[in-house]
Amino acid sequence: MSPRGLTKVHHAHALLAWINATQGHVIVGADANTPEVDHPDPDLTRTHWHTGSARLNGLVGDDVTFGGRPQHRLHDAYRRWLHDHPDEAERVSRDHPVGPLAISHHTGRRKVHAGTPRRFDALWVSPELGVKSVEYKYAAAVAAGTDHALVVADPA
């Protein structure tokens, strides 16, 4: 197992512990550099260092924080918004049947290759907070000089 991967898992576990210890309203924004597969079906979402991965040698992975069924009370704001907007959820599933749900980054990007689209950036909100809208402003962020999308959400 690479030290970098193990560090990512430890960071995910530390964030999980903080979320689970925090009372009241919570909003977390993260550039987690995961998931590897951001599938429309949360049960098919896979993080890079998910539990059960052979390279973790039986250790619990980062999916407990960033997977499709995390072990904390927060909701992925975009998935929550899609749940509340079934027509848009259907369009996303039709247009991207294996994900990603939105694009916030490209891995393996080169001058001659656009790279692999990923949704590595997300907002997580506590269940009592509504989500009126969520936007992934990838093109505008890249034009401004970054390689990750600006993720903007409005509370309901």
Side-chain angles (χ1 to χ4, degrees), residues 78-136:
Y78 191 60
R79 283 188 184 276
R80 184 155 174 201
W81 183 83
L82 287 172
H83 179 268
D84 294 341
H85 295 84
D87 291 344
E88 184 63 14
E90 174 60 32
R91 184 197 65 75
V92 168
S93 292
R94 184 180 60 250
D95 292 352
H96 305 281
V98 295
L101 299 180
I103 298 170
S104 74
H105 184 67
H106 283 83
T107 56
R109 194 174 177 153
R110 305 287 183 268
K111 288 182 180 180
V112 296
H113 184 263
T116 303
R118 309 280 189 184
R119 186 173 72 109
F120 279 176
D121 305 270
L123 295 171
W124 295 79
V125 298
S126 50
E128 67 277 3
L129 299 174
V131 179
K132 183 177 177 182
S133 67
V134 179
E135 294 180 79
Y136 279 79

Side-chain angles (χ1 to χ4, degrees), residues 10-33:
H10 287 311
H11 288 166
H13 291 185
L15 179 58
L16 176 67
W18 178 84
I19 291 168
N20 286 336
T22 302
Q23 301 292 316
H25 304 313
V26 176
I27 300 171
V28 172
D31 166 7
N33 285 326

Side-chain angles (χ1 to χ4, degrees), residues 1-10 49:
M1 171 183 344
S2 81
R4 181 172 179 233
L6 189 56
T7 298
K8 287 180 70 172
V9 172
H10 287 311
W49 294 91

